[in-house]
Amino acid sequence: MTRRDGPVRRALRMAAMGAGVTGSYLGYMAQSAFLSGDQRAVRLKRAHTRAARRMSDELQALRGPAMKLGQALSLQHGVLPDEMLAELATLQMRAPGMHPALVRAQFTGSMGREPEQVFRSFETTPFAAASLGQVHRATLKNGEPAAVKIQYPGIRDAIKNDFTWFRAISKPAQLSRHLPPDVMDELEAQILAECDYEREAKNIAFFRKGLAPLPFVELPVAHRAYSTDRVLTMSMVRGAHLDDFLARRPSQALRDRVGERLFELFYFQILELHALHADPHWGNYLFGSDGTIGLVDFGCVKYFQAPFVANMRKVFLYAGSRESAHFRQILEERYATSGTRLSRAAVRALARISVEFYGRVYPADPATDGIPFDFADDAVIRDYLRESTRVGRARATLPEYVFLGRAESGLYQTLHRLRARVHTSAIVRKYLR
Amino acid sequence: MAARTPSVTRRARRPARPRGRRAAAKAATRERITAAALHLFASKGFDATTTRAIAVRARVAEGTVFNYFATKEDIALHFFEQEVDSAIAAVRRNARLRKAPLEEKLFALIQSQIEYLTPYENFIGAAFVQALRPSSTLAFSLRAFALRARYLAFVQELIQESLPRHGANAMAWAAPQAFWIYYLGMLLYWLHDQSPGKQNTLAFLDRSLALGVRMLRKGTLG
């Protein structure tokens, strides 16, 4: 059983963490006036590490929604300093576990009936942890197996409280624009949206319809009659988690096929659907032995505005020089929509990631479309993290990037673990037409 | 079980009315009076409710009300006795709970009480105010003490069957009394909880019981 705290203790812990984190920076600021540039960099690094360790320790003790926040932040490459990322990445996302009596109370309080009255059978022990809740096996009255996701009670208020505290303690990062307030807003809005299971049921319906052209993708059906904002009943999706799939030693051909499909799924969502399943947690993908991809957990979905996607289309596989005035103008157009003026450093960082990472992984020349990119290469993840960190450091983060970056990073990491070879540019080109 | 055959002479003097049925009729009247009183306590307030109004709503004579209950507070106490008995019975009935950790047993106990109290939420608020008065028999009568003692004895029983070796520490000695104060605080939290389905109360119960049981196991506040 995970360690849990009461609300007062929780608030005290958050306050202590805030004091600790802010203290780390105050110490650095006080000293920085008397230090040389190099010394300052070393001291700042130490301040980051101290602050991060403090945050990580405290978030670990708090569990629950604060963990979710920590995990979301850990995926924002470049938004937080590397030292903080390394600490936050050690956090495992999980809401507090619910014992059967609590599961029953939450279910009955939300549905108005006991689980046994709603289903033919219901297992009180969960078979999976979900974002902010847990998933139970059940059998519908018609005999069909189902997965019932039940949310930990009061999670919405807890998340709001966590954000209030986090806004207070992350003032230094906000003032320096490393963590812009609109990025914080985006994070909060998305995490709160994940708490609404009725919205998730709508997302499932949207994606089931939208992803119909990709026959290799399997999605659950949401049973609205047995769902509320805190309980979501869905059909079961077949397939194995990535670890189990890899443990069966799939052939290179199968890994390539799955990799190509994952990649196509990602770009189909952005360019055709204008919406993205943005929770790259490995538990959310189920791999079939015939190469099918099961997609579950539609709590974290990002819908993009048409102008943003139109701008992305211009940038993807850009044929000219990525240091040209024309490329710069396209980037500026993208940022202008959110009222952000790009600094020279930001343009440099964006041009750099385009050349160093995207130019290499997605060659623009159609003549090379037949050559697959090998994601087994360790450098892929390293380069992506390094360059996206530079973008964040240059304060070129847009709210849209928050979950797009999270999903993209998850995609590369999955492809890397699959050691898949993917015709990257050919697939993107197919949807640019 | 074979039914007792009443003697012919007795039957001739008084119309047949098996004892079970008479008791059931009495119990039904008692419940009708209780339900009527609870409705009025909730809608009009405890003080503004008269025994006459209770009698009218329960469709009995005012004197009949006094046959069953000496005061309005007795009616309220009767309700709380039933609430406690039903929650204790619910926990005892649940075979799965026997092997559950202490925090889950205590959660199930309080949750059963809350489920029982839910239809009478307005009245519970009024009862709280009433119980705070020094003259209140709701909190300070022998009957009220007996009810609390019965409830806390059950809590103690749950603690002992889950933490058999806890006897030595001071926390365990004070645990039932501390639980009573906690329970009252929890009821206040529940009354003020505006979250959908009062789910903040569930979260509060879950987290605070986990913390409390952890403290009890360790024998310290830390």
Side-chain angles (χ1 to χ4, degrees):
Chain A
M1 181 154 282
T2 55
R3 194 179 151 192
R4 282 172 277 173
D5 288 339
V8 175
R9 212 179 160 82
R10 180 186 181 79
L12 286 174
R13 272 190 180 285
M14 277 288 208
M17 173 171 89
V21 172
T22 312
S24 302
Y25 286 105
L26 283 178
Y28 159 74
M29 284 175 188
Q31 293 168 26
S32 66
F34 308 101
L35 299 171
S36 69
D38 284 354
Q39 282 173 314
R40 232 181 270 170
V42 173
R43 292 287 165 96
L44 180 59
K45 235 179 163 48
R46 269 192 222 149
H48 283 330
T49 309
R50 271 200 304 275
R53 195 148 299 154
R54 184 99 204 181
M55 274 168 71
S56 176
D57 286 352
E58 296 299 336
L59 289 174
Q60 201 90 48
L62 283 160
R63 301 262 171 195
M67 295 279 291
K68 180 90 192 156
L69 171 63
Q71 200 220 21
L73 285 168
S74 74
L75 288 159
Q76 305 315 304
H77 303 293
V79 170
L80 292 177
D82 287 352
E83 297 75 14
M84 276 200 184
L85 285 181
E87 289 290 337
L88 289 175
T90 62
L91 293 172
Q92 291 294 313
M93 189 276 290
R94 53 197 291 198
M98 287 188 273
H99 53 63
L102 180 56
V103 167
R104 182 169 300 278
Q106 175 72 336
F107 184 94
T108 311
S110 184
M111 291 285 293
R113 284 182 298 163
E114 301 260 339
E116 286 76 11
Q117 293 173 297
V118 177
F119 304 113
R120 183 187 287 179
S121 70
F122 178 81
E123 288 181 16
T124 49
T125 315
F127 76 92
S131 53
L132 314 170
Q134 56 196 33
V135 194
H136 296 255
R137 275 182 221 282
T139 312
L140 301 184
K141 289 268 163 84
N142 65 11
E144 202 183 305
V148 185
K149 187 155 93 157
I150 300 177
Q151 192 174 95
Y152 187 82
I155 209 95
R156 224 184 147 76
D157 287 351
I159 288 174
K160 281 187 188 158
N161 289 340
D162 285 352
F163 268 94
T164 307
W165 283 103
F166 194 75
R167 273 177 217 279
I169 63 172
S170 62
K171 272 280 180 289
Q174 287 174 52
L175 289 173
S176 67
R177 295 278 308 163
H178 282 101
L179 191 57
D182 51 354
V183 169
M184 284 288 280
D185 294 344
E186 171 79 3
L187 267 176
E188 182 172 4
Q190 279 287 350
I191 294 179
L192 281 176
E194 278 187 58
C195 302
D196 183 355
Y197 287 180
E198 274 166 3
R199 187 178 185 273
E200 184 170 344
K202 283 185 198 148
N203 288 339
I204 291 175
F206 174 84
F207 276 84
R208 275 189 68 81
K209 196 171 163 210
L211 293 177
L214 304 182
F216 53 83
V217 185
E218 286 190 10
L219 280 83
V221 178
H223 297 298
R224 303 290 280 272
Y226 315 114
S227 303
T228 66
D229 60 337
R230 283 163 276 156
V231 174
L232 180 57
T233 304
M234 296 163 283
S235 61
M236 297 288 271
V237 176
R238 69 195 177 103
H241 289 142
L242 185 60
D243 286 335
D244 298 332
F245 176 74
L246 290 173
R248 288 182 208 142
R249 299 180 174 276
S251 65
Q252 181 67 47
L254 180 56
R255 282 183 281 129
D256 290 348
R257 188 155 81 231
V258 169
E260 294 244 326
R261 287 174 167 185
L262 271 177
F263 196 85
E264 181 168 3
L265 174 61
F266 183 79
Y267 282 96
F268 182 87
Q269 290 179 83
I270 297 175
L271 296 170
E272 297 287 317
L273 275 191
H274 295 197
L276 186 65
H277 175 282
D279 193 347
H281 187 259
W282 281 320
N284 294 339
Y285 291 87
L286 295 165
F287 299 95
S289 50
D290 52 353
T292 55
I293 297 167
L295 209 50
V296 295
D297 204 337
F298 285 81
C300 183
V301 166
K302 177 68 194 163
Y303 292 90
F304 298 108
Q305 299 291 323
F308 182 79
V309 178
N311 187 280
M312 297 287 265
R313 282 178 167 274
K314 290 185 199 164
V315 174
F316 287 160
L317 305 184
Y318 185 77
S321 162
R322 298 180 187 214
E323 277 142 353
S324 65
H326 181 243
F327 190 73
R328 182 192 171 131
Q329 191 195 333
I330 298 172
L331 290 178
E332 278 171 349
E333 275 170 23
R334 183 190 303 172
Y335 283 79
T337 53
S338 75
T340 312
R341 264 187 72 86
L342 274 180
S343 67
R344 228 182 272 167
V347 173
R348 262 204 309 276
L350 288 166
R352 202 185 139 116
I353 194 172
S354 300
V355 175
E356 300 284 323
F357 180 77
Y358 291 109
R360 210 162 58 76
V361 180
Y362 303 73
D365 182 2
T368 61
D369 278 7
I371 307 165
F373 182 83
D374 191 350
F375 280 92
D377 186 358
D378 288 333
V380 183
I381 305 293
R382 204 177 51 229
D383 291 354
Y384 176 73
L385 293 185
R386 190 189 60 235
E387 296 308 324
S388 55
T389 302
R390 273 185 216 276
V391 172
R393 287 257 174 87
R395 299 163 209 189
T397 303
L398 278 180
E400 280 86 355
Y401 291 174
V402 173
F403 287 89
L404 181 60
R406 180 186 181 188
E408 190 182 2
S409 159
L411 172 71
Y412 297 145
Q413 289 186 39
T414 308
L415 294 175
H416 178 59
R417 287 197 63 200
L418 281 167
R419 308 185 84 72
R421 293 173 306 194
V422 179
H423 293 85
T424 49
S425 299
I427 292 171
V428 175
R429 213 179 300 282
K430 187 166 129 191
Y431 292 107
L432 284 180
R433 282 189 200 119
Chain B
M1 204 164 71
R4 238 177 35 177
T5 315
S7 69
V8 176
T9 47
R10 217 176 136 198
R11 201 197 283 176
R13 249 184 274 141
R14 225 152 87 185
R17 193 153 193 204
R19 193 175 282 182
R21 267 181 65 190
R22 197 184 315 147
K26 278 186 83 168
T29 308
R30 185 188 291 274
E31 292 325 309
R32 217 166 59 237
I33 295 171
T34 310
L38 289 170
H39 175 85
L40 292 168
F41 292 161
S43 56
K44 296 190 167 184
F46 191 82
D47 284 337
T49 301
T50 60
T51 43
R52 190 177 153 63
I54 295 171
V56 169
R57 191 171 172 87
R59 296 194 309 279
V60 294
E62 194 173 351
T64 309
V65 174
F66 291 110
N67 286 342
Y68 287 87
F69 301 102
T71 63
K72 281 189 296 185
E73 291 190 328
D74 275 350
I75 303 179
L77 257 177
H78 172 69
F79 168 74
F80 286 117
E81 281 168 349
Q82 283 184 315
E83 173 242 324
V84 166
D85 289 344
S86 121
I88 291 176
V91 174
R92 284 200 200 282
R93 222 178 18 243
N94 189 334
R96 193 193 54 75
L97 271 180
R98 255 169 244 144
K99 286 180 187 161
L102 177 58
E103 51 269 45
E104 189 181 346
K105 287 179 188 169
L106 294 175
F107 179 94
L109 175 69
I110 297 183
Q111 178 56 23
S112 303
Q113 292 179 270
I114 289 180
E115 274 174 21
Y116 195 96
L117 297 177
T118 296
Y120 309 103
E121 193 180 332
N122 288 341
F123 160 63
I124 309 304
F128 244 105
V129 177
Q130 176 67 16
L132 287 176
R133 293 177 187 163
S135 61
S136 168
T137 54
L138 202 50
F140 305 109
S141 65
L142 273 179
R143 201 173 151 194
F145 285 132
L147 173 62
R148 195 181 323 152
R150 194 161 80 239
Y151 178 66
L152 295 183
F154 182 65
V155 171
Q156 180 76 323
E157 187 186 317
L158 292 180
I159 294 176
Q160 262 164 358
E161 69 184 26
S162 301
L163 309 173
R165 284 172 293 123
H166 80 290
N169 80 55
M171 287 285 298
W173 177 75
Q177 294 308 320
F179 186 84
W180 178 247
I181 296 167
Y182 164 79
Y183 173 70
L184 294 179
M186 202 288 310
L187 268 188
L188 274 177
Y189 187 93
W190 171 73
L191 284 170
H192 285 95
D193 185 359
Q194 300 293 319
S195 62
K198 299 231 182 228
Q199 49 174 322
N200 282 352
T201 301
L202 295 181
F204 173 67
L205 254 182
D206 180 46
R207 285 165 176 246
S208 52
L209 283 172
L211 185 68
V213 170
R214 198 162 71 223
M215 278 163 30
L216 192 59
R217 284 208 178 95
K218 280 187 180 173
T220 63
L221 288 167

